[in-house]
Amino acid sequence: MKSGAGQRLKIIGAGLIFLLLLSGVVSGQNRQTEEIVVKLDIPRLLQKDVMARYDGKDIYIPLLELFSLLEIHVDADFAKAQFTGEYLYRDNRFELNLERYEAECFKRKLVIDSTWYIITEREVYIRPNLFEALFDLKLFFNFSDLSVYIPLQEDFPIYQKLKRHRMHKKLRDARVAATDAYPIPRQKHYLSAGVADWTLSTSPIGGSGHYLNLGLGMMVLGGDFQLHGTGNSRDGIRSDQINYRWHYSFNRNPYVSQIEAGDVHTEGYLGRSLKGVVLTNRPTVRRKFFQTMTVTDRLEPGWEIELYVNNRLADFAYTDENGEYNFTVDVEYGTTRVLLKKYGPGGEIETEEKFLTVPFNLLPKGEYEYTTALGQGDNIRGENNYFQAGGYYGLLNSLTLGLNTDLPLEKKGEKSLSAAELTYQPLGNLQVSGIYSPDYSMKYSLNYRHLTLLNVFGSYTKYYPNEFLNRFERDYNFSLNLSSPMKILGTYFSPRWRLSLDKYPGHDLVVMNYGFKVQVLGLGLNYIGHNQKSIYPTRTEKELSSRILLSTSLLRFLRPQASISYNHTEHKIMKIGFYVNRRIFKRGQISLSLERDPESRQNTIMATLNFFTDYAAFDSRFVQSGENHALTQTQRGSIRFDPNLKSFRFRRHSGLGSGSAVIWPFQDDNYNGIRDEGEELLPELRAKISGGARIDRARDRLFYYDNLRPYEEYIVEIDPYSLDNPMLQPAHENFRVAVNPNVVTTINVPIVTAGEVAGRVDRLIADGTVGVGGMRVIIINEATGKEIELVTFNNGDFFHLGLVPGMYRAYLDPEQLKNYGYASDPPYIKFQMKTIAGGDYFGTAAFIIRPSTGTH
C-alpha cells in the first residue's frame, strides 16, 4: 500500500514539474498584461490611437494592425502561430514563426524567445526591439504621454500610395486648369521690326581681313521675313552672298497651310533649292501627334494602374469589378515610351514597358500632304526654271505612299523626273521603304531600332545614267550601320560599325568605320577605326588607321584628354595630342591643345578662350603650327526690338527665326480683358511657359521668354498666389498663345478683383440646429470645372476670398456625408460672382445636414 501511495506521489510530482515547465514555455502567452491606448505617430503620414499591451516592464505593439495601417500585407496563420508576407519590397519575404521561435527578414534569421511577443486570438504583439532587429523599423515609446513615434520611411507602401494620390490630384487639377486656357489670337503684323543676328570675325595675326555675317528678321504683311548676308573688308557684301525668304502661315487651313517666296528648298526625294515660290498644306509646326491607341488588359479587381508616357504621369485608373482597365494613349512621332505601373490590393507591384516608334515619314491613315513649287535652280550647265510637285498619302497607319515630280521648264537636255515612294512599318521597331525613279535611281532601305539592344540601318541604291544627278556614273551603293547600347557589368560599351560600298565604272570603293565608347570609374575610352579600299582593275589601294581618345572626369577643375592616331598600313604614328579644358569665372572656358606629327616633327599649339556675357559671346583662338602663327577673334550675339517699351534687348544667343514673349499683367479695372491706358501694371505676377528660357528684366520687372518655337501653341501657366493682394486674381489660370518668329509677342494677363463667398453648415437636432465643424465644402466653377475645397470652422462657418467673376456651384462632400450617414439640404447652391468694383460678395451659402433615409 505504501508502495502504491509512493508511486502516486511520484506521478503527481512529475505532473507538477511538467506543468511548471509548460507554464514557463507558454509564459509569453499567459503572463499578466493589460491593454493600454497609445498614440501612434508617423510624421507627415498618420496619427492614430492603437491598443497595445503592457506587462509592467515592456510595451508590445500590435504587428497586424501596424502593418495594416502601413498597407503591408500579412498572411496570418494563428493555428500554426506563423505570420508571413513581403516587407517593403516584392522580393523581400519575411516570416515570424512562433512555434519554432524563429524570425527572418532581409535574408537574415533571428532566434527569439517567448518574452519578445504576446499572441492572442486575433493579434500578435511584439516588442519595439524586435521591430528594429527584424525589420530595421525603429519605434520610440514615450511612457510620459503613452506615444509611439516611428520615423517616416519613404518605402512604406501607404506613403507611396499617398504620393501617388497627390500626383493624381495634381494631374486632375492640371486637366481642369487646361480647360481654362484662354486663347489669345495670333497677332498679324503688317510691318514690325524684330531681331538681328550678327557675327564679326577678325584675324589681326596671320589673317587677311574682317568678316561679317548678318541676319535680319521681321514681320512683313503678316508673314515672317528673313534676310541673310555675308561680307568682308576687302570685297564688301556681294549680291550672290545675300539670300532672303518670306513665309506666311494660314494657321490650320487643311488645304493651304503655308506659302514661301524667295530662297526656298522643296522636300521629297527629288527636292532641290530654288529661288521661287512654294505652296503646301504641310503643318506649319512639325507634326507631333500621330494617332490615338487603346491600352487595355485584365487583372483582379482592386488594382491601381498608372500610365506614364515619356516618363510623365499621363493617366491613372482602377480595375473594375471584372478586373479590367483601359487607357487611351496619344502616340507621337519618334519614340514614345509607355510604362504601366500596377499596384495590387495586397501590396503587389508590377511594371510593363513598351516603346512605340513612329517614323516621321509616315502619315496617319486617310491624311495627305502636298507641296508645289515654281522657281529657278542651278544644275551642272547653269540655271533652269523648274516646276516641282509632290504628295504623300496615308494608305494605312503603317503604310504611306508618296509621289514626286521634277519638271524642267526649259529642256536644255535635262529630262523630267518622277519618283514613287512607299514607307511601311510591319512591326513597331521595323521600318522598310522603297523609292523608284525611272531615270535616276531605285533605293531600298531597312531601319530597325531596339533602344536597349540593337540599332540597324541598311540601304541599297541602284543608279541609272543621268548626267545631271549622276555625274560620276555610279552604279550602286550599299551601306549598313550597326550600333548597340551594350551593357557589360553595369557599364555601357556602345559599339558601332558602318560599311559603305560604292561601285563606279573604273573602280570599287569600300569604306568601313568602327569603334566603341566606354566609361568606367570616371575614365573614358573612345576608339575609332577606319578601313578603306579602292579596288582598280590593276591594283588595290588600302588605308587602315585607328584613333584612341582617353579622357577623365576625376579631376574637378580640369578635363584632360589624350589621343593617338596610328596608320596601320604604313606602321607609324600619325599624330599625338593632349587637350585640356577648364571653366573660368563661371562665364568662360579656356582650352589648350598640343599636337605633334612624329613624321614631320612639327608641333601644333592651339589656345582658345571662350567668354560670354548676357549680351554677347566672345571667342579668341591662337594657333601656332611650325613657323606659322594665326590669331582669330569672333564676337556673336543678337539684338531684339521690343515695341512695348521702345527698347532693344541684347542677347548672346541666336534669335533669328525663334519666338520671344513677354508677360504683361495688368489690373483690368473695367473687366474688358484689354489693357487700356492708365490700367496699373502688376509685374510681381509670375508665370511659366514650358520650353521657354525665362529672363528677368530689371526694367519694369517684366519676364521675357526666349527660344520659343514659332507658330507653335504654348500654354502660359499663371501663378495666382504670386500676387500680394488676395483679392486680385487672374481672369484665367492659363492662356493659350501661338508666338510669331523674330518679334516679341505680348501676352496681356488681365487681373480682376475677386469676390468672396461665405456660409454655414448646421446639423438638425431636436431643439433646432447646431454648427458642424470639419465639414468639407466644395465650390466648383461651372465654366472651367476648377474645384476649391473648404473646411468649416468649429462653429460651422466657412468663407473663401478669391473667386473670379462667373457662375459657381457649392455642395458638401458626398463621400463625407455618406460616411457620417447624413444628407444635405439643399443638395447644392448655385450663385454668381458679378463683375463689380471692389469685388462681389455672396454670404448666404447655408446647408443643413440631417440623417439620411435608412440611417439609425
Side-chain angles (χ1 to χ4, degrees):
M1 185 173 178
K2 289 182 179 180
S3 174
Q7 186 70 20
R8 285 194 295 271
L9 288 173
K10 289 181 179 180
I11 293 174
I12 293 172
L16 290 173
I17 293 173
F18 175 76
L19 290 174
L20 289 172
L21 292 173
L22 181 63
S23 66
V25 171
V26 298
S27 63
Q29 288 74 36
N30 296 333
R31 63 181 177 273
Q32 294 296 320
T33 63
E34 61 175 320
E35 280 192 331
I36 61 174
V37 178
V38 298
K39 183 177 69 174
L40 180 66
D41 181 17
I42 304 178
R44 294 189 295 146
L45 188 58
L46 59 87
Q47 286 186 342
K48 181 177 173 59
D49 290 339
V50 298
M51 300 301 296
R53 293 267 179 170
Y54 181 61
D55 64 357
K57 178 182 178 182
D58 295 310
I59 191 77
Y60 294 81
I61 306 300
L63 171 71
L64 301 185
E65 183 177 4
L66 175 59
F67 276 20
S68 176
L69 292 173
L70 297 178
E71 296 198 0
I72 299 172
H73 179 70
V74 181
D75 293 318
D77 187 343
F78 283 91
K80 296 181 180 180
Q82 184 175 348
F83 307 90
T84 59
E86 296 168 347
Y87 184 71
L88 301 185
Y89 310 112
R90 180 75 172 166
D91 57 349
N92 182 33
R93 296 283 300 175
F94 74 87
E95 180 180 3
L96 184 63
N97 193 317
L98 304 182
E99 277 191 350
R100 300 199 306 265
Y101 300 101
E102 292 179 352
E104 181 178 359
C105 188
F106 294 113
K107 297 181 180 180
R108 62 173 180 257
K109 294 184 178 181
L110 296 175
V111 177
I112 60 176
D113 59 52
S114 59
T115 63
W116 288 45
Y117 66 89
I118 298 173
I119 186 169
T120 64
E121 292 181 355
R122 297 184 178 179
E123 183 62 87
V124 56
Y125 302 83
I126 63 177
R127 284 163 40 183
N129 59 341
L130 181 55
F131 276 104
E132 182 174 358
L134 183 59
F135 302 109
D136 291 337
L137 181 62
K138 294 184 178 181
L139 280 69
F140 300 94
F141 179 65
N142 190 328
F143 277 96
S144 62
D145 60 359
L146 293 181
S147 65
V148 175
Y149 172 79
I150 301 179
L152 175 65
Q153 294 184 24
E154 293 196 1
D155 293 328
F156 287 156
I158 183 62
Y159 183 72
Q160 292 296 319
K161 184 177 181 179
L162 178 62
K163 286 176 60 177
R164 294 199 302 271
H165 289 182
R166 288 173 179 171
M167 293 173 60
H168 298 173
K169 183 180 185 303
K170 187 177 180 180
L171 179 62
R172 287 194 299 265
D173 293 343
R175 288 176 176 173
V176 171
T179 62
D180 189 25
Y182 183 78
I184 299 178
R186 185 167 66 87
Q187 303 171 13
K188 296 291 184 70
H189 301 275
Y190 289 96
L191 181 62
S192 178
V195 66
D197 284 353
W198 55 272
T199 301
L200 180 63
S201 177
T202 181
S203 301
I205 300 176
S208 55
H210 308 287
Y211 297 87
L212 173 67
N213 189 318
L214 182 64
L216 303 176
M218 61 188 70
M219 299 296 291
V220 177
L221 300 178
D224 57 281
F225 178 78
Q226 294 185 20
L227 176 69
H228 295 265
T230 60
N232 56 66
S233 57
R234 294 174 304 173
D235 305 324
I237 298 178
R238 294 165 43 184
S239 59
D240 60 351
Q241 295 177 329
I242 298 176
N243 60 76
Y244 62 91
R245 185 188 68 105
W246 178 79
H247 166 260
Y248 187 89
S249 172
F250 293 91
N251 292 334
R252 296 181 177 178
N253 190 314
Y255 306 108
V256 180
S257 61
Q258 303 174 73
I259 183 171
E260 297 180 358
D263 293 283
V264 298
H265 187 86
T266 60
E267 295 188 352
Y269 190 61
L270 303 176
R272 63 166 70 238
S273 296
L274 295 174
K275 189 177 290 292
V277 179
V278 172
L279 195 67
T280 181
N281 76 330
R282 293 195 317 269
T284 304
V285 179
R286 187 177 186 180
R287 287 180 180 267
K288 290 184 178 179
F289 172 76
F290 179 72
Q291 66 172 334
T292 298
M293 63 174 294
T294 301
V295 177
T296 183
D297 201 353
R298 175 177 291 181
L299 297 167
E300 298 296 328
W303 280 68
E304 179 184 343
I305 319 296
E306 289 183 335
L307 170 70
Y308 287 81
V309 178
N310 293 331
N311 300 323
R312 296 184 63 181
L313 179 65
D315 205 351
F316 62 93
Y318 298 89
T319 55
D320 57 20
E321 61 274 7
N322 298 319
E324 295 182 351
Y325 68 90
N326 65 79
F327 298 104
T328 56
V329 180
D330 289 340
V331 180
E332 298 184 347
Y333 283 94
T335 299
T336 301
R337 178 177 182 258
V338 177
L339 177 67
L340 292 173
K341 293 185 178 180
K342 309 173 185 180
Y343 305 92
E348 304 93 336
I349 299 177
E350 297 179 4
T351 60
E352 180 183 346
E353 183 182 40
K354 61 176 64 176
F355 292 91
L356 307 175
T357 302
V358 180
F360 287 93
N361 50 355
L362 274 184
L363 288 180
K365 180 181 178 180
E367 293 195 17
Y368 69 93
E369 290 182 3
Y370 76 88
T371 301
T372 60
L374 179 66
Q376 186 181 74
D378 296 328
N379 58 43
I380 60 173
R381 296 183 179 179
E383 296 178 342
N384 202 344
N385 294 318
Y386 297 90
F387 171 78
Q388 282 209 332
Y392 295 89
Y393 181 76
L395 298 173
L396 303 169
N397 281 331
S398 58
L399 182 63
T400 295
L401 170 67
L403 298 173
N404 292 273
T405 183
D406 179 58
L407 304 177
L409 300 183
E410 303 173 46
K411 295 302 180 181
K412 298 181 180 179
E414 189 173 1
K415 295 181 180 180
S416 299
L417 295 177
S418 60
E421 303 180 38
L422 271 179
T423 301
Y424 180 48
Q425 189 177 25
L427 300 174
N429 296 327
L430 177 64
Q431 174 196 344
V432 294
S433 62
I435 303 174
Y436 177 62
S437 179
D439 295 310
Y440 175 34
S441 66
M442 177 174 57
K443 180 178 181 179
Y444 306 98
S445 63
L446 176 147
N447 192 353
Y448 175 80
R449 296 189 63 193
H450 193 293
L451 295 183
T452 60
L453 181 63
L454 181 67
N455 299 321
V456 181
F457 176 76
S459 69
Y460 171 81
T461 306
K462 172 67 177 177
Y463 293 93
Y464 305 123
N466 187 312
E467 63 175 309
F468 289 88
L469 300 180
N470 189 12
R471 295 174 56 189
F472 299 103
E473 300 179 354
R474 182 160 53 170
D475 186 21
Y476 67 83
N477 167 265
F478 171 78
S479 65
L480 180 63
N481 292 268
L482 304 175
S483 63
S484 173
M486 186 182 299
K487 199 172 184 179
I488 302 176
L489 300 177
T491 301
Y492 283 101
F493 185 61
S494 303
R496 55 198 182 276
W497 181 80
R498 180 180 184 274
L499 171 67
S500 176
L501 173 60
D502 289 282
K503 185 172 182 61
Y504 295 90
H507 73 284
D508 298 339
L509 180 62
V510 182
V511 179
M512 187 164 52
N513 296 299
Y514 42 87
F516 63 87
K517 181 163 49 176
V518 64
Q519 186 157 350
V520 181
L521 301 177
L523 300 176
L525 171 65
N526 190 0
Y527 170 76
I528 302 172
H530 175 77
N531 188 353
Q532 178 175 313
K533 291 183 180 180
S534 298
I535 306 173
Y536 297 91
T538 58
R539 71 184 191 281
T540 298
E541 297 179 356
K542 298 181 180 180
E543 180 182 327
L544 181 62
S545 63
S546 296
R547 186 182 182 215
I548 296 177
L549 181 65
L550 300 173
S551 61
T552 179
S553 59
L554 296 177
L555 300 180
R556 183 177 178 182
F557 301 105
L558 293 176
R559 291 293 182 265
Q561 294 179 324
S563 72
I564 182 170
S565 300
Y566 187 78
N567 189 322
H568 298 274
T569 306
E570 300 180 7
H571 305 287
K572 64 180 181 181
I573 297 176
M574 295 187 297
K575 185 179 294 186
I576 301 174
F578 180 75
Y579 315 92
V580 177
N581 294 280
R582 191 183 190 283
R583 293 291 300 269
I584 56 174
F585 308 126
K586 294 184 179 181
R587 286 180 172 262
Q589 177 175 289
I590 187 170
S591 60
L592 177 66
S593 68
L594 305 173
E595 294 181 345
R596 179 170 177 81
D597 185 340
E599 184 177 10
S600 64
R601 298 182 180 180
Q602 181 170 298
N603 297 325
T604 300
I605 302 174
M606 182 170 64
T608 304
L609 173 64
N610 307 111
F611 185 79
F612 64 89
T613 67
D614 291 336
Y615 316 107
F618 305 89
D619 301 326
S620 297
R621 176 174 297 177
F622 174 79
V623 179
Q624 176 182 334
S625 181
E627 297 181 356
N628 299 318
H629 301 76
L631 174 64
T632 304
Q633 293 178 320
T634 304
Q635 300 85 38
R636 61 184 182 277
S638 64
I639 309 171
R640 196 183 293 270
F641 178 69
D642 183 357
N644 293 291
L645 297 176
K646 301 296 188 293
S647 62
F648 292 93
R649 294 176 51 235
F650 293 84
R651 303 293 299 161
R652 71 175 184 272
H653 300 292
S654 172
L656 193 64
S658 66
S660 180
V662 61
I663 307 293
W664 274 77
F666 68 97
Q667 187 164 344
D668 191 10
D669 296 325
N670 55 7
Y671 296 94
N672 65 351
I674 301 173
R675 180 163 53 91
D676 299 314
E677 186 176 355
E679 290 182 330
E680 182 184 359
L681 179 68
L682 302 172
E684 66 268 20
L685 181 77
R686 295 184 177 272
K688 181 177 71 174
I689 301 179
S690 299
R694 192 182 78 172
I695 299 139
D696 187 3
R697 181 185 172 97
R699 179 179 175 184
D700 294 317
R701 295 175 294 165
L702 294 175
F703 289 101
Y704 286 86
Y705 299 83
D706 286 345
N707 303 328
L708 301 176
R709 294 179 292 274
Y711 301 111
E712 184 164 326
E713 281 194 343
Y714 285 90
I715 298 296
V716 183
E717 301 176 22
I718 306 299
D719 179 9
Y721 303 105
S722 58
L723 293 171
D724 296 333
N725 187 348
M727 293 190 64
L728 296 180
Q729 293 290 317
H732 306 276
E733 280 198 31
N734 298 312
F735 293 83
R736 182 183 297 111
V737 59
V739 300
N740 287 318
N742 303 324
V743 298
V744 177
T745 299
T746 302
I747 303 174
N748 292 316
V749 177
I751 307 298
V752 299
T753 303
E756 180 180 357
V757 61
R760 181 179 176 86
V761 178
D762 289 305
R763 180 166 57 89
L764 192 64
I765 59 176
D767 299 333
T769 60
V770 61
V772 183
M775 297 299 298
R776 288 192 292 271
V777 182
I778 299 174
I779 300 175
I780 184 171
N781 186 316
E782 293 191 335
T784 66
K786 179 183 178 182
E787 293 184 358
I788 299 172
E789 185 177 297
L790 309 175
V791 179
T792 59
F793 298 106
N794 290 335
N795 63 353
D797 290 341
F798 67 89
F799 74 92
H800 178 73
L801 175 63
L803 298 181
V804 299
M807 294 299 301
Y808 290 87
R809 180 161 44 95
Y811 58 92
L812 301 183
D813 183 2
E815 185 175 349
Q816 187 182 36
L817 290 173
K818 181 180 178 181
N819 293 337
Y820 290 173
Y822 284 100
S824 171
D825 182 23
Y828 62 87
I829 297 174
K830 295 186 68 172
F831 62 94
Q832 181 182 11
M833 285 286 125
K834 299 178 182 178
T835 54
I836 60 177
D840 198 3
Y841 175 77
F842 181 79
T844 57
F847 296 94
I848 295 178
I849 60 174
R850 63 187 75 209
S852 60
T853 304
T855 302
H856 302 284

